[in-house]
Amino acid sequence: MALYSEHTGKKPLKYARNTVIIIILLLFALATIFPIYFMIISSLGDPVEAGAMSYTLFPTKISLESYKFFFDYSDYSLRWLLNSLIVASVVTVSNVFFASMAGYAFSKIRFKGRSVLFAILLVAMMIPYQVTQVPLYILIVNIFEIQNTYSALILPGLVTVYNIFLSKQFMSSIPGEILECAKIEGCNQFQVYLRIILPLSKTVLAVMAILTFMESWNTFFWPLLVTNTMDMQTIQVGLKNFRFANTTYFAPMMAGATISALPMFILFFSLQKYFLKGVTVGAVKG
Amino acid sequence: MTQIAKPIKRRKIKGDSGAGYAFIAVALVIFALFTAYPVLSALIISFQKYMPLGSKFIGFDNYIDSLKDPLFWKAIKNTVVYTVLTVPVALFISLGVSLLILPLKKKLQTVFKAIYYLPAVASGVALSVVWLWIFDPMPNGIFNQLLGYFGINNVNWLGATSTSMFSLVLMSWLSSHGTSIIIYLAALLGIDDSYYEAAELDGASFLKKLWYIVIPCLKPTTLFLLVTGVIGSFQVFQNAYLMTGGGPDNATTMVGLLIFNNAFKYFEFGKAAAQSLILALIIGGISLIQFKFLGKDVEY
């Protein structure tokens, strides 16, 4: 008894229905995956100018020449990947640590002004990023004068309101009795956080870490604004510059795109469970 | 008894307060510096003609100039068109797909969820590179090849005023709907079986169950996806910037891109700040309307 009829006693009918469904879903999957497939397949072609070639959906031969072309384009191609890795890692670690601390305070510690502060954070979450972009740029470039440094890339993302909200939501569901017990046993707040809250929140923190890392790796807008030399750019900005500089080199461009996306694909396939959980953790509970 | 209990209680609250502030300290400093201060600063800049050394207060001029600027209205119109064409279709596709996934075995559900989510992990820049070639105006561009099979002539997808907006919309239709599919599926799985049982006793068909049970039960989810979708769509910047640069003839200039251009191409910070605040007001207004009209009988 559910939305779909179980077709009890009519097994063939059920199989026929499910087959049709799977075929439709596969067709849709094909359309969804196509750009990714096209990107990877094309990146294995030779680095010749686009005019001299036509696109194929099935590769006749596999060459890594285009990857070499991409890395030869700039002395800093590898540096871009390294920069992205550094920025994303620092941002991720600091978000997990500081957002979970704040989440714990907002959910379990009583202090003056708690609800007002949290309400302010919620309101801030609804403000479009266009509002903050200009003053933030002025702050980093003209006031702090840290343009083109790792600090400029990292500082504004150290803790996001969304992550505070996420951990607060989750930690509210941890029963207060456990914490009381720990306090009676002589734990101070920091020990409670370290020994009880963190272990209990492992899953949500893993989700947070992955989503933060992915967002930081993929972010394009902010690094574009605050970097102005090739050695400080992240892979996304580097890829964009490569694209504008080599508009006719089709395969190397695809190789660059693949290089920028590959780490995320690897991450996705190895930690798929957390990615998929991450989607619902913020939406359904919130 | 009371004499002993009181001091202990007081001490606890005091101690907690200190700990509370200590725990949020870093988050609060970062928030104050990189969110709260910029918002207030945006408000101030929007009333100024910004100059690096000593800005000039010019009242509402930035707002008035923006509201008088035909380009601003064109950008708003473009944004609205883009939103209206993309968000409802995305909701429809995600609901349809999640309904199709629902009767499958758990394992198969996960496989499809993963496939549909996959493109979302690739960066916008990487995807834009691919889509530029899919939309290639030459006869061997992917879409043009496809049209060629049907005997339709070359289309200058992103390069012509008549098709550039549609191309961006098409790209959004064909990009990842994984997130909303997963959210819808979770909501579908949360609908209590007893509703269906009761409906079946009344002899309800599949479509009846869909209309009278599924759609109403999914209303909060739909509202959530609608509001976040519209908010996201109104801020859209990256696709327009990377695919068309707003052209041709500003046919794809969205508000997000216009603000970016004003700020970082023409360095008119005051105007950009004013326009961003107008955008914030519009987004806030639309969200309120959506909650009011659609959220009327939503129970949380």
Side-chain angles (χ1 to χ4, degrees):
Chain A
M1 291 261 180
L3 175 59
Y4 285 88
S5 153
E6 280 300 318
H7 292 302
T8 357
K10 288 180 281 181
K11 270 267 154 82
L13 198 62
K14 191 177 169 186
Y15 279 125
R17 184 198 67 193
N18 281 4
T19 313
V20 172
I21 286 178
I22 289 173
I23 290 172
I24 299 174
L25 287 176
L26 277 178
L27 285 177
F28 184 66
L30 229 59
T32 316
I33 292 294
F34 177 75
I36 307 279
Y37 172 81
F38 183 59
M39 171 178 90
I40 295 171
I41 291 302
S42 313
S43 73
L44 300 170
D46 282 323
V48 289
E49 299 211 36
M53 59 151 322
S54 65
Y55 315 123
T56 47
L57 293 184
F58 307 99
T60 42
K61 69 178 197 124
I62 290 174
S63 100
L64 293 178
E65 282 302 302
S66 295
Y67 286 88
K68 199 172 161 292
F69 186 98
F70 179 79
F71 281 116
D72 286 345
Y73 158 71
S74 155
D75 296 340
Y76 298 108
S77 312
L78 272 175
R79 181 77 190 259
W80 293 338
L81 285 168
L82 185 70
N83 286 345
S84 283
L85 184 68
I86 292 172
V87 171
S89 307
V90 174
V91 165
T92 303
V93 170
S94 105
N95 263 287
V96 167
F97 192 62
F98 294 122
S100 66
M101 277 176 77
Y104 170 52
F106 279 121
S107 61
K108 292 291 175 212
I109 306 177
R110 268 164 208 231
F111 57 91
K112 227 178 141 193
R114 181 176 87 162
S115 40
V116 177
L117 278 174
F118 193 67
I120 293 176
L121 291 187
L122 282 187
V123 171
M125 217 157 53
M126 295 189 217
I127 295 170
Y129 72 88
Q130 275 92 355
V131 173
T132 51
Q133 74 189 12
V134 167
L136 203 54
Y137 177 82
I138 296 172
L139 185 71
I140 294 289
V141 175
N142 294 354
I143 299 178
F144 288 165
E145 292 181 359
I146 49 170
Q147 174 159 231
N148 217 26
T149 61
Y150 284 120
S151 314
L153 291 169
I154 291 169
L155 279 178
L158 276 183
V159 199
T160 67
V161 175
Y162 178 76
N163 283 341
I164 296 175
F165 178 72
L166 202 65
S167 41
K168 191 247 176 191
Q169 284 301 102
F170 179 83
M171 287 168 188
S172 301
S173 66
I174 296 174
E177 288 85 3
I178 305 179
L179 310 182
E180 288 307 316
C181 284
K183 275 178 210 157
I184 290 165
E185 301 280 328
C187 283
N188 61 32
Q189 288 285 11
F190 191 71
Q191 284 167 321
V192 172
Y193 162 77
L194 210 61
R195 298 203 183 144
I196 296 176
I197 296 287
L198 281 191
L200 284 177
S201 317
K202 252 188 287 181
T203 314
V204 79
L205 293 182
V207 166
M208 187 197 289
I210 285 167
L211 293 185
T212 308
F213 190 87
M214 180 174 86
E215 209 164 295
S216 183
W217 180 275
N218 283 343
T219 192
F220 161 70
F221 181 64
W222 184 245
L224 174 76
L225 284 184
V226 295
T227 58
N228 47 25
T229 58
M230 278 209 173
D231 61 315
M232 282 312 296
Q233 283 164 358
T234 61
I235 182 70
Q236 309 301 341
V237 181
L239 176 62
K240 182 224 142 205
N241 289 343
F242 178 83
R243 198 194 95 184
F244 277 82
N246 299 274
T247 43
T248 51
Y249 282 96
F250 167 66
M253 220 184 268
M254 293 300 177
T258 308
I259 289 166
S260 84
L262 203 59
M264 292 302 106
F265 288 149
I266 294 170
L267 207 63
F268 178 71
F269 282 118
S270 39
L271 299 167
Q272 205 199 83
K273 189 178 92 184
Y274 294 104
F275 271 95
L276 299 183
K277 199 171 247 160
V279 175
T280 39
V281 117
V284 176
K285 276 199 129 183
Chain B
M1 284 299 276
T2 41
Q3 268 174 335
I4 300 170
K6 254 187 178 170
I8 288 175
K9 208 178 166 196
R10 192 178 296 145
R11 201 173 64 222
K12 207 179 113 198
I13 288 176
K14 228 179 166 186
D16 269 346
S17 245
Y21 294 129
F23 269 87
I24 61 166
V26 177
L28 210 58
V29 169
I30 298 290
F31 174 77
L33 213 52
F34 299 117
T35 306
Y37 165 75
V39 169
L40 296 177
S41 173
L43 203 63
I44 297 168
I45 293 173
S46 75
F47 291 106
Q48 290 174 334
K49 183 163 182 57
Y50 185 85
M51 281 168 282
L53 300 166
S55 304
K56 208 169 69 200
F57 178 81
I58 53 166
F60 280 93
D61 280 8
N62 286 322
Y63 290 91
I64 294 166
D65 284 354
S66 297
L67 293 177
K68 274 187 187 158
D69 185 358
L71 188 57
F72 183 66
W73 289 105
K74 187 167 187 180
I76 289 197
K77 196 198 104 200
N78 285 339
T79 312
V80 171
V81 168
Y82 182 78
T83 306
V84 168
L85 289 178
T86 54
V87 177
V89 174
L91 287 184
F92 189 76
I93 293 177
S94 334
L95 179 59
V97 171
S98 60
L99 277 171
L100 286 176
I101 295 181
L102 185 66
L104 302 180
K105 292 213 176 66
K106 194 106 204 224
K107 253 212 171 113
L108 225 59
Q109 285 187 352
T110 314
V111 171
F112 276 116
K113 277 198 281 190
I115 294 178
Y116 296 141
Y117 188 77
L118 180 67
V121 307
S123 76
V125 185
L127 288 176
S128 81
V129 168
V130 183
W131 278 94
L132 270 184
W133 291 96
I134 293 178
F135 282 130
D136 195 47
M138 303 310 274
N140 57 3
I142 296 284
F143 272 163
N144 279 339
Q145 276 188 40
L146 207 64
L147 288 183
Y149 293 131
F150 298 99
I152 300 170
N153 278 341
N154 266 349
V155 174
N156 186 2
W157 294 96
L158 296 163
T161 23
S162 51
T163 49
S164 55
M165 176 60 90
F166 174 72
S167 302
L168 290 187
V169 170
L170 190 64
M171 181 181 162
S172 142
W173 286 348
L174 293 175
S175 61
S176 174
H177 297 292
T179 313
S180 10
I181 291 173
I182 294 168
I183 292 175
Y184 260 137
L185 193 63
L188 279 173
L189 291 168
I191 297 176
D192 202 274
D193 266 355
S194 60
Y195 291 133
Y196 299 126
E197 282 164 27
E200 266 161 49
L201 288 179
D202 290 341
S205 65
F206 173 77
L207 282 179
K208 282 245 165 80
K209 279 191 266 182
L210 196 63
W211 186 252
Y212 290 107
I213 298 172
V214 174
I215 305 276
C217 281
L218 291 184
K219 213 169 165 188
T221 313
T222 306
L223 183 67
F224 170 80
L225 290 174
L226 185 69
V227 171
T228 50
V230 169
I231 290 175
S233 175
F234 259 80
Q235 297 181 49
V236 86
F237 154 78
Q238 198 156 289
N239 275 353
Y241 177 78
L242 290 168
M243 300 290 295
T244 61
D249 191 25
N250 288 316
T252 53
T253 300
M254 320 271 187
V255 182
L257 184 63
L258 183 73
I259 295 171
F260 174 86
N261 282 344
N262 278 334
F264 302 110
K265 210 164 149 191
Y266 309 120
F267 290 96
E268 295 217 40
F269 286 158
K271 204 170 171 188
Q275 288 171 348
S276 73
L277 287 166
I278 297 176
L279 176 68
L281 279 181
I282 296 176
I283 290 178
I286 293 177
S287 308
L288 271 183
I289 293 171
Q290 283 172 330
F291 270 111
K292 203 152 187 189
F293 278 92
L294 295 164
K296 243 186 288 176
D297 40 40
V298 170
E299 284 171 44
Y300 291 97

